[in-house]
Amino acid sequence: MRKIFWSLIIFGMVFLLVNMVPAQSYIISGGISFEDFSIGEFEEKSLGDGLDFLVSLFSIKQIGIVSAEEDPTWRCCLSADEGARICQSVSSFIDMLDVNCDNSLIPTHCDQTGDCVRGCCIDEADGSCTEGSPKEKCSTDGGTWEPDVNCNLEKCAKGCCYLGRNNYYFGTQKECVKKSIDLGTEVDFRAEIATEFECVSLAESEVEGACDMGGGECRFTTKSDCFNNLQSNKFHAGFLCTHEAIDSLCEKTYDIGCAEGRSEIYWYDSCGNRENVYGGELWADASWNNGEVLYSNSINCDGDDCGACEKYQQQCTETKLGEDHVKAGNFVCKSLECVGAPGAGGIESEPQDRANGESWCVFDGVIGGGKDLVGSRHWKFSCINGEVITEGCEDYRGEVCMEMRIDLEDAIKQKYAPDIFVVGSHPVDGIEIFDDVGNYFAQASCQKNSASQCLTYNMEDNMRENCELDSFCIVTRVNVDNDFEFDLCTPKYTKGADLTFTGDEEGSRDMDNAYCGLANIDCPVLFKKDIKGRWQCEKNCDCLGAGFYDEMNNLCVSLGDCGTYVNYVGEGTDNVIIKGDTLGMGQSLPNERNDDYIKTLEGYGDSTEDYKFEKNQRVLPQNGDISFAGDDEDFSFKDRSSEWLGVIGGVGGGMGGLAALSSTSTLLSSGLVWALPGEVGAATGIAQSLEGGIAVTAKGFALAYAALFASAAIMAVATYYVAQGMGVENEGLVEMALAGAALGFGAATAIAGIVAGGSQTGFAAAMYAGGGSGPGIIIAAVIVIILVSHQAVTQWGKTEVTKVQFRCQPWQPPMGGENCHLCHEDIDREETLKVCSEYRCESLGRACYIENADTDKPICLSQQYDNTVPIINQDQVYTEGYEFEEISRVMGDGVKVIVENKTGQEACFQEYETVIFSLNTTSSASSDDDKIPMYTQCKYSFEKPVNYETMEELYPSESNSFLKTHIFSYTMPRLDEIDPNDFTGQGYSSLYGNLRMFVMCQTSLWGIPTPKPYIVEFCIRPGPDFNAVNTELTKTIPESGSYIAFDNTTQRMDMWINEPAECSWSKEPYQEFDEMENNMSCVLESDLGELNGYNCNTEFTELENSVDNNFYIKCKDQPWFGEEEGVEESEKQRVVNAEDFIYTLKGSKAPLVVSSTSPTKSITSGTRPVTVDLSITTSGGMIGDGVSDCNYVWFGQESGFFESGASLHNQPGLNGFNVLQDNVETVRNVPVNCEDDAGNMAEGKISFNLTIDTQPANVVRAYNDGGKLTLVTDELAKCYYSYENECNSIELENMTTMSGDWSFKHVSSTWDPSKTYFIKCKDSYEHINDGCAIIVRPILF
Amino acid sequence: MDSKRGQVTIFIIIAIVIVAAVLIFILFRSGFLPDLPFGKEVNPQAYMKSCIEDKITEGVTELSFVGGTLNNKNALNFMFTDEGVYRNISYLCYNQNYYYPCVVQEPMLLRHVTDELKDYIEDDVKDCFDGLAKSLDNNYDVVANYRGFDLNLGSDRVVLSIDGKLTLSKAGDTKVQDDLSFLVPTHFYDVAKVAQEIISQEAEFCNFEHIGYMIFYPQYKIERHTTGDGVHIYTIGYEDSEDKFRFAVRGCVIPPGL
């Protein structure tokens, strides 16, 4: 059993290793080589997709459509640094000045140049082939360059080369010749052996025996070695030299030893020949086996005294003095296992025995689920010959470690069939296939982390599907409240960020700010006033609780080194901000971190146990409708007051109708009266009263009641709408409608009393009496007063939507450097080393820095403690027309920002005006003349701060980054938001408010704050804003003038304007704002501006093909004036654009189609794998020229064409079809899809037939035709003949060429019956017959 | 009787002399004994080997640790602490951009390292040849014609062949020495071949599975060190020898941040 087990380990290991090289390589390159080995279950993701995303993110939108040949984003430097670097493509993302190119740059990618195009470089002297070699360099250095980048060439076809004495090499035929010559052996090249595994396995299967060299000399070797190298023709297969039948002087001995290239301990004869495997001392004679070969798997020994060492897991080793050894000599089977190797959590985790050749993943703590720790790295550990080798995957988690395990027990059950190997991934992926003590063989690999791709899926309709299919992405669900839940596709293994903050990398985290900011999402919370006038939360109330912090921070963290999180040793910092208004309802926002939550975070770095946490997070809730925060349209609150209005009106009218009808009929009992509209009843009552002189009868009273209730109903409705116009909402409207009803009832009664004038008859008298007369009027009045007063005091039903703002900032390391040493502490341990790195070091503390980074053992040191305080200085005012004026106040020094050369109110900002200015920080240790810039982090507030720590998180534009210069962008508030004590001047015309901004900063390393706040003062003056929305500053997506897809009739447009405003659009020009029929959805609050301004969006409809669809937009600014009382007056202050902002969407000319594909017919290849060039053309589309970007699907992997972005799309040099049967034509379909900038999409398929021909031509007929030898071959070929047997030579130069150039028919110039014609043929793929194609003896004809 | 004994003695002596002469002839022909054409003077072959062998070994060692190119500007200055010295390790495959596979910098690596080694020993070979001529000059009229040399790397060896001729004359007797060549055992070629395989795969796949390679070919010990900025440094060793080859690769590097 043990033997079977180990055999399986060996088999499994070798099987894997054979396939791992191409398999892993495939994963990264996006190419494919193996159809016969399913790697689908293994983690797969090509680099290409992420690459395409990044390239497109940074370039395509900016450069528009260009052909590949003229692509301005790439330049090629043929040679840089005086020839030291060759063929380096320079992208526009790299500063051109950094490229020290020897010559001028060529305006295209290097692969497009004649000199740098990559192909196969063949060293003719050595026979080696180097893939991906630049053409010019190869040729200049004396190589032969061929355009096949993957060297799928006959010359480069590899086979097995036997070099004698069980020595095999897998290489090209020429390499074999060279090595054989060097080693003095006959060339023995076996082209039919196509894999390295088969080749190296030959050493095991080679038949050995005694080579009788004569004269009593004998050598135990292979037949080939005996014949070719030892020049003997007496080979006795399966015999030892000591066999009695061999005429040899060699005698068996009791000497043992190791053998080159073998793992077992062997007996040796007196001539030094290896004999059989040592099977234990008592087995001396038995293992001699009467002088015949006994194969090692027939040796049945076990225990310490056994020489049958397990291949790959044990190795014959000579022992030193005092060491245990087998009884026959100083040798032992030394185990190559790694006993007690580190577990998945590194050296702290539970050790585990590992087989030789095994590799496994080791982590620093929690991984996956968007929770990789800051500074953490993935590690690949391997066991090689008893030694554990550590290798770090690419830092910053540019690579992640993936582990595949083979269940050996299953393999045993299934009798070694390779396809039953259960291939799974690491338990962290939630697929726990194996228990930890089970018998499995692990193989790990570092794979490129394509995390960047994940966010792009969020822009696609089938986000969830795509995200879940991508093994590097996960769907992150944020579920705070019913109206605040959404899914986002985020990286599964977050990328690390550049934590460097000093030196030349100033601002290096700008990009981090940008991507952390993707989680800056606001939760709209609906408040409503209750009957007592207190604000009560109605919707999204959980956004005010701790759950909001946790959920949003999880999202923030999942973007990679953002938010409140911990480094890999479990030390964390807080990097999120939550702001919002709770309308004084006594509830604080969840700014404080939840202790339990933080404890969970801190535990992530401790042990491997924690990473199972991630597994529990994989099952995502599948709720129904999802509304996305910040989208006001989705966040609608249904006002139910109108339903109450209906009730009131219905009751009033119904009562009237009831009364009227009951006077004339008996329908009362039918109940149908309730269905009659009140107005009908009221009208009937009035009509009947007008018939005149109706006495106070029952009928008269009925009609009078009808009129009273009708009055109540009418007044209720009227009051409702008036109140609504005054901003009363919900229950308030009900209250006011009731007040209106009471008013209507009372007023009608009072009027009727006046009209009746004390008369006891008549309709008015009936109404007066029905209304309760005088007391009724008083009661109605009281009701009105109570209801109106209550509404006025409590504003019952009033609603307010506030937004809880979540701000996700880049993760910042802890202050100081007390933990720096943890980075390199492994150096001092005997156990396996985890190398320190810059990223790892800097995550441990702001004062940590890497030393000896250019060695294999860098260390992490702490900067010396420095208590120098930072000084804040004025820097620059960027807003045109303003300047700094130095001030000195009791509470601190600072500046006042004023209008240049102005004083008093004229020097002030207008309300809502934005100012941009910068402050810088210098060291207090520097002099006034020579100020030393200092990196600091700054905050500001409008209350005088106690200290830096307790300041609210209001950061300058750069957020929480540490910089030398800090830029502030601030929009002035309305005057009524300023403390009345801060006003200067008298009367409206000269009044202005003063605002003080207090700025404090702390040093980057040790957090030393400025001693006093720095004051930046502004004054704000009232006054009308005469400027309309500046359409020149307006930005839109899609841009005006963009094309839309063919037959697309609707298109959403987002627009950012420079100030809050209401905007509308029309398809007709020159419309007044109020006449425009379509309103846009706009941000109206001044504090909700984004980077590009204030957002408005709409959906344009009825779009047409092939024309310019123009839309005319106008905006009306200062929307807050519309909300105030005295609307008409304040409305006058609002400014509307005089001119239309014209926005155009162009309709596509035609649908995009794939108009042609190539190849179309048959391809025949002479080598395996086949290299195929794909090509398609597209037509139609945006402007009808077919320009688009196209992808192809190659073995399930979608990739972009190498040349695309035009109407012709080319993809050269694809590899595949490795295992097609020779000479069997197979149909291949390659799906393609294209999309142009307008979103027109086309799909197609490249179909072609494929045949692989790896066999040389066969001669199918030979005959004498007119005195000439004539041959017919089964394929196009050239044939050669010789009268000598030259068939074992691969060179054809010495043979005579037959007629016919690449022909089926070949004719010799002679027909000589006395000769024998030795014929070889070469087909058009350079395949040459191994021996003779045919030997023709004319005499036999 | 005595004369018979004397004759036998003479015959024995003659036989011994003949046998000795034959033995000496055979030994000289086989090269087992130094070639001494004109007595016990300098053996040119042995002289040249002893003169240049150390330099070749030194050159091989120097080139081995710097990726086969001395003073390469496209190199990574790096130190393995157990060696205690910084070296400029050449990038044999390099791409300055992120994401993209590396571009092979020395597609003809074996020829390149051969040329580098030739350059390294060139002056010394000439000096040794001149030194040889000078050392022979004491006893002979020497005409030395040095045209250069050729160097070939092969499995487990470096073979140096002098393209030159020594014409030695003495007392009307002339000998021409024009086949000065010898080999120096080293696995430089073997490890460089593995390096070539690695860069070929790195250029195509962004990766080389060195663990698997070591299982197949246990005579090689391949170490890969990945630096903090994504550069792979490979060191290929050959079993039971000091022969190594070290080089750097930069390709498919993923930048920090999303």
Side-chain angles (χ1 to χ4, degrees), chain A residues 13-82:
Chain A
M13 179 174 65
V14 173
F15 177 80
L16 264 181
L17 290 171
V18 168
N19 292 287
M20 281 294 279
V21 173
Q24 290 178 7
S25 302
Y26 153 74
I27 290 159
I28 294 158
S29 72
I32 217 166
S33 304
F34 282 69
E35 281 187 305
D36 50 348
F37 177 59
S38 171
I39 57 170
E41 296 89 340
F42 199 43
E43 299 290 353
E44 83 297 333
K45 185 62 209 157
S46 75
L47 176 67
D49 288 349
L51 190 77
D52 291 344
F53 159 65
L54 287 165
V55 170
S56 63
L57 183 70
F58 291 111
S59 64
I60 289 176
K61 298 299 178 195
Q62 296 156 24
I63 63 173
I65 301 166
V66 288
S67 69
E69 290 76 14
E70 299 165 348
D71 188 345
T73 60
W74 288 106
R75 302 282 184 272
C76 180
C77 176
L78 298 179
S79 154
D81 294 338
E82 298 171 16

Side-chain angles (χ1 to χ4, degrees), chain A residues 358-380:
Chain A
E358 203 172 354
S359 56
W360 63 101
C361 295
V362 174
F363 308 106
D364 293 323
V366 62
I367 66 154
K371 290 185 170 53
D372 280 65
L373 302 163
V374 183
S376 67
R377 190 173 186 176
H378 289 209
W379 305 87
K380 176 186 169 186

Side-chain angles (χ1 to χ4, degrees), chain A residues 54 126 131 175 182 391 496, chain B residues 99 157 189 193 204 224 257:
Chain A
L54 287 165
D126 177 66
E131 295 156 16
E175 285 179 302
D182 286 346
E391 188 185 351
Chain B
Y99 303 109
R157 76 198 61 183
Y189 171 83
K193 284 281 287 182
E204 186 178 2
R224 178 166 66 190

